Amino acid sequence: MADNKIELTKKDRLHVWWRSTFIQGSWNYERMQNGGWAYTMIPALKKLYTTKEDRAAALKRHLEFFNTHPYLASPIIGVTLALEEDRANGAPIDDVAIQGVKVGMMGPLAGIGDPVFWFTVRPILGAIAASLAISGNILGPLIYFFGWNLIRMAFTWYTQEFGYRAGSRISEDMSGGLLQDVTKGASILGMFILGSLINRWVVVKFLPVVSTVKLQKGAYIDWNNLHGMKGVQTALTQQAAGLSLTSNKVTTLQNNLDALIPGLAGLGITLICMWLLKKGVSPIVQILGLFVIGVVLHVIGLM
Amino acid sequence: MNLNAIQIILVIIVAFLAGMEGILDEFQFHQPVVACTLIGLVTGQLIPCLMLGGSLQMIALGWANVGAAVAPDAALASIASAIILVLGGQGKAGISSAIALAIPLAVAGLLLTIIARTIATAIVHLMDAAAAEGSFGKVDMWHVIAICMQGVRIAIPAALILAIGAGPVKGLLAQMPTWLTGGLSVGGGMVVAVGYAMVINMIATREVWPFFAIGFVLATIQQLTLLGLGAIGLSLALIYLSLSKQGGSGSNGGNGNSGSGTGDQVGDIIDNY
């Protein structure tokens, strides 16, 4: 094994890095970034696997569900490159291990990428650029475009390399059983994260009003007796103190469900989808069906 | 104002780039401050379009695709409003009405995004077929086609606006039924469940289901960020791994000492005594 070890060179890794720019290109409702992920891995897979069977298996493995922040995919790509490299060289790394690593890392990393890039760096850069542009200064878009891409490209390259080195360390220690640990740990982390993502990212909201209760005097802000700016101040103070904005307490069906446990409906939909998948109902049918259900429920005012 | 053939082609190319970036989110060609400026550059209306881009950028500062949720379509908003500004021929005076149009356009653009992402689902199935043959070339090809489709998503509306002019576009937008856009966004909130269901079917075993339950329940605590949840998940995995190892060595030791292997330390001590 050590004699003719296939290794990914820096050139290969640069090639993968460039392709990772297009990871969201075939973003779809079924497996999200999977097409882009496979596209990104192809230069490495081409080098590591030569038979048709190996190549087909590798492509299939990398067309599984994947979704994270597009830039934070880079460290995951790095780790996966290292795992694939060792797998190609005979290490016992199975599909579940690779998928587990991917799923386990994608949620938390998306949790870093969204606030950092979309809600911090981009608004700051955007505000600077916009204020220049509004005054007719062409530097606005230039600063925005070059500044952003410099930050992005440096970030994705260095985190991919970081992931690659970390991934190599994981699989170097073969005798210590570290690999089996990583496999099991990854699937535990993966399931944990899936549980939380379903709660956070499957959005279901029932609108029907279950009850409208008239509140006692003093439990709500009495708008009729408030006047002028002083009144606004009083109202804000009262609201902060927990007084209701209206004289009625409106409870929706969603409020009732949330009192049970928030996200229960999303979990229910996921479980039904799992069952349908096992019954052989195609994901596309399920997706179209959910859109139809969404429109119908919206029209009848349930959601 | 009328554009010549070369300008029309360049406008459509810029629209195509912005459409691609609307999904890729990498080079940021779709951000108003960049996209509007590019339209201004190719139509000779640089300064008004630059200023429009700046104003729109301020509005779109916080628009972002998070998870599977889609933000209003910055690409369509920037491209279409810049074209309308140019066609209107009012220069800087037309900026405010172009902005007023941009917002409904951004929302209408969501519909196109949903259509494109649904078509992409079919494309991915063609990739599956290519993967079964072990063909890297075909997977590459379908991915590139998917990216181009996203470009076309903005290029076609841009061409339409150029063809029919700014006025009728306003009327058309006013007729978009809200029941359809509202319903589709409700559906969009639910469809992500299908993807999660597929992954769970793949990695779930009897052993790891409890961790799914813990993750689900902990996620109801809104103060916990995804990063925090990740840390908890990782810790749980590490604890489980080390405990399962200790359990293994413990029962071996137990067999050696007492022969009963009950794991009951007090019982073992009494037996040995």
Side-chain angles (χ1 to χ4, degrees), chain B residues 206-261:
Chain B
R206 191 183 290 271
E207 194 182 1
V208 296
W209 267 112
F211 296 97
F212 176 88
I214 298 171
F216 182 80
V217 173
L218 284 182
T220 60
I221 305 171
Q222 291 299 326
Q223 285 91 335
L224 280 176
T225 62
L226 275 180
L227 192 58
L229 285 166
I232 296 173
L234 188 65
S235 311
L236 283 176
L238 291 173
I239 293 169
Y240 183 83
L241 288 175
S242 78
L243 280 182
S244 61
K245 277 203 195 92
Q246 279 177 15
S249 60
S251 67
N252 288 339
N255 285 334
N257 285 336
S258 64
S260 67

Side-chain angles (χ1 to χ4, degrees), chain B residues 89-152:
Chain B
Q90 295 171 290
K92 291 175 194 172
I95 290 180
S96 56
S97 57
I99 292 174
L101 262 181
I103 307 305
L105 276 168
V107 177
L110 282 177
L111 198 65
L112 293 173
T113 303
I114 289 171
I115 294 170
R117 289 179 171 198
T118 308
I119 297 174
T121 310
I123 292 179
V124 163
H125 281 258
L126 294 166
M127 286 189 187
D128 286 339
E133 302 171 23
S135 168
F136 289 145
K138 280 188 189 166
V139 173
D140 282 354
M141 180 190 75
W142 285 118
H143 189 67
V144 171
I145 287 175
I147 298 174
C148 291
M149 176 187 70
Q150 296 287 351
V152 169

Side-chain angles (χ1 to χ4, degrees), chain A residues 18-32 34-36 38-39 42 45-46 52 55-56 59-60 63-65 67 70-71 95-96 99-100 103 107-108 111-112 114 118-119 122-123 126-127 129-131 133-138 140-141 144-145 148-149 152-153 181 184-185 187-204 261-264 266-267 269-271 273-274 277-278 283-284 286-288 290-291 293-295 298-299 303, chain B residues 20 23-31 33-34 37 46-47 50-51 53-55 57-58 61-68 70 113-114 116-118 120-125 127-128 130-136 139-140 142-144 146-147 150 178-180 182-184 186-205 207-209 211-212 214-227 229-230 232-234 236-237 240-241 245:
Chain A
W18 169 247
R19 279 187 171 224
S20 74
T21 306
F22 305 98
I23 192 165
Q24 304 217 93
S26 52
W27 204 103
N28 61 90
Y29 281 120
E30 186 185 308
R31 279 168 279 165
M32 304 193 178
N34 73 326
Y39 175 81
I42 279 178
L45 301 180
K46 207 177 244 170
K52 191 190 156 198
R55 289 186 162 188
L59 279 173
K60 190 167 171 282
L63 277 169
E64 296 291 354
F65 178 95
N67 193 42
Y71 307 171
D95 295 358
V96 175
Q99 188 66 6
V103 174
I112 302 175
D114 292 332
W118 295 161
F119 299 128
R122 192 155 75 180
S131 53
I134 288 173
S135 61
N137 190 338
I138 192 70
Y144 188 84
F145 182 74
W148 181 268
N149 282 290
R152 168 179 70 83
M153 290 174 136
D181 286 358
K184 177 159 285 173
S187 63
I188 289 173
L189 183 57
M191 283 300 276
F192 180 89
I193 290 297
L194 281 168
S196 34
L197 288 186
I198 285 167
N199 196 319
R200 293 276 169 95
W201 283 356
V202 181
V203 185
V204 185
I261 185 169
L264 213 51
L267 179 64
I269 293 173
T270 312
L271 293 176
C273 290
M274 285 171 62
L277 284 170
K278 283 190 177 143
I284 293 190
Q286 296 188 26
I287 287 164
L288 293 177
L290 281 171
F291 272 122
I293 292 171
V295 171
H298 184 68
V299 169
M303 286 173 84
Chain B
M20 279 168 53
I23 189 89
L24 292 175
D25 236 338
E26 302 268 347
F27 296 98
Q28 310 295 315
F29 283 122
H30 65 305
Q31 291 291 314
V33 72
V34 179
T37 307
L46 183 61
I47 297 301
L50 172 67
M51 293 165 78
S55 310
Q57 189 69 49
M58 282 294 188
L61 280 184
W63 291 359
N65 299 329
V66 172
V70 214
T113 303
I114 289 171
R117 289 179 171 198
T118 308
T121 310
I123 292 179
V124 163
H125 281 258
M127 286 189 187
D128 286 339
E133 302 171 23
S135 168
F136 289 145
V139 173
D140 282 354
W142 285 118
H143 189 67
V144 171
I147 298 174
Q150 296 287 351
T178 50
W179 62 263
L180 185 63
L184 286 176
V186 168
M190 298 191 293
V191 290
V192 293
V194 180
Y196 294 132
M198 293 173 82
V199 192
I200 295 173
N201 274 348
M202 198 172 101
I203 64 173
T205 57
E207 194 182 1
V208 296
W209 267 112
F211 296 97
F212 176 88
I214 298 171
F216 182 80
V217 173
L218 284 182
T220 60
I221 305 171
Q222 291 299 326
Q223 285 91 335
L224 280 176
T225 62
L226 275 180
L227 192 58
L229 285 166
I232 296 173
L234 188 65
L236 283 176
Y240 183 83
L241 288 175
K245 277 203 195 92

Side-chain angles (χ1 to χ4, degrees), chain A:
Chain A
M1 185 181 117
D3 304 333
N4 46 6
K5 194 171 184 294
I6 322 168
E7 231 177 304
L8 294 171
T9 61
K10 186 170 182 185
K11 198 175 153 221
D12 297 326
R13 301 201 300 272
L14 272 169
H15 200 166
V16 168
W17 167 72
W18 169 247
R19 279 187 171 224
S20 74
T21 306
F22 305 98
I23 192 165
Q24 304 217 93
S26 52
W27 204 103
N28 61 90
Y29 281 120
E30 186 185 308
R31 279 168 279 165
M32 304 193 178
Q33 293 167 342
N34 73 326
W37 175 274
Y39 175 81
T40 301
M41 295 299 293
I42 279 178
L45 301 180
K46 207 177 244 170
K47 176 123 182 215
L48 295 174
Y49 303 104
T50 46
T51 69
K52 191 190 156 198
E53 289 71 33
D54 283 351
R55 289 186 162 188
L59 279 173
K60 190 167 171 282
R61 169 160 82 238
H62 289 295
L63 277 169
E64 296 291 354
F65 178 95
F66 187 77
N67 193 42
T68 188
H69 185 287
Y71 307 171
L72 270 298
S74 289
I76 313 179
I77 291 168
V79 172
T80 311
L81 285 178
L83 292 178
E84 279 293 346
E85 190 179 82
D86 287 316
R87 182 187 168 117
N89 286 310
I93 301 169
D94 61 6
D95 295 358
V96 175
I98 289 175
Q99 188 66 6
V101 166
K102 281 160 65 180
V103 174
M105 289 173 79
M106 69 186 193
L109 286 180
I112 302 175
D114 292 332
V116 170
F117 284 103
W118 295 161
F119 299 128
T120 308
V121 182
R122 192 155 75 180
I124 291 174
L125 211 53
I128 297 169
S131 53
L132 286 169
I134 288 173
S135 61
N137 190 338
I138 192 70
L139 272 178
L142 293 177
I143 288 176
Y144 188 84
F145 182 74
F146 290 105
W148 181 268
N149 282 290
L150 205 69
I151 295 170
R152 168 179 70 83
M153 290 174 136
F155 177 84
T156 51
W157 170 248
Y158 286 110
T159 50
Q160 185 188 312
E161 284 292 285
F162 176 78
Y164 179 71
R165 285 195 302 273
S168 308
R169 270 200 301 280
I170 289 173
S171 40
E172 254 169 29
D173 171 42
M174 301 297 290
S175 54
L178 189 56
L179 204 62
Q180 284 90 322
D181 286 358
V182 167
T183 305
K184 177 159 285 173
S187 63
I188 289 173
L189 183 57
M191 283 300 276
F192 180 89
I193 290 297
L194 281 168
S196 34
L197 288 186
I198 285 167
N199 196 319
R200 293 276 169 95
W201 283 356
V202 181
V203 185
V204 185
K205 208 169 170 191
F206 292 104
L207 297 179
V209 174
V210 177
S211 67
T212 309
V213 181
K214 197 133 184 78
L215 289 170
Q216 283 185 329
K217 217 169 169 58
Y220 59 91
I221 301 170
D222 191 359
W223 295 100
N224 293 332
N225 293 327
L226 298 175
H227 304 288
M229 291 313 283
K230 199 88 190 142
V232 174
Q233 193 193 1
T234 316
L236 288 174
T237 320
Q238 288 181 341
Q239 194 198 358
L243 264 61
S244 171
L245 289 174
T246 54
S247 59
N248 292 318
K249 185 181 189 307
V250 177
T251 308
T252 65
L253 183 55
Q254 190 61 45
N255 293 140
N256 278 356
L257 289 174
D258 285 350
L260 215 56
I261 185 169
L264 213 51
L267 179 64
I269 293 173
T270 312
L271 293 176
I272 292 171
C273 290
M274 285 171 62
W275 179 73
L276 288 174
L277 284 170
K278 283 190 177 143
K279 288 270 164 211
V281 180
S282 115
I284 293 190
V285 172
Q286 296 188 26
I287 287 164
L288 293 177
L290 281 171
F291 272 122
V292 172
I293 292 171
V295 171
V296 170
L297 291 183
H298 184 68
V299 169
I300 63 172
L302 197 60
M303 286 173 84

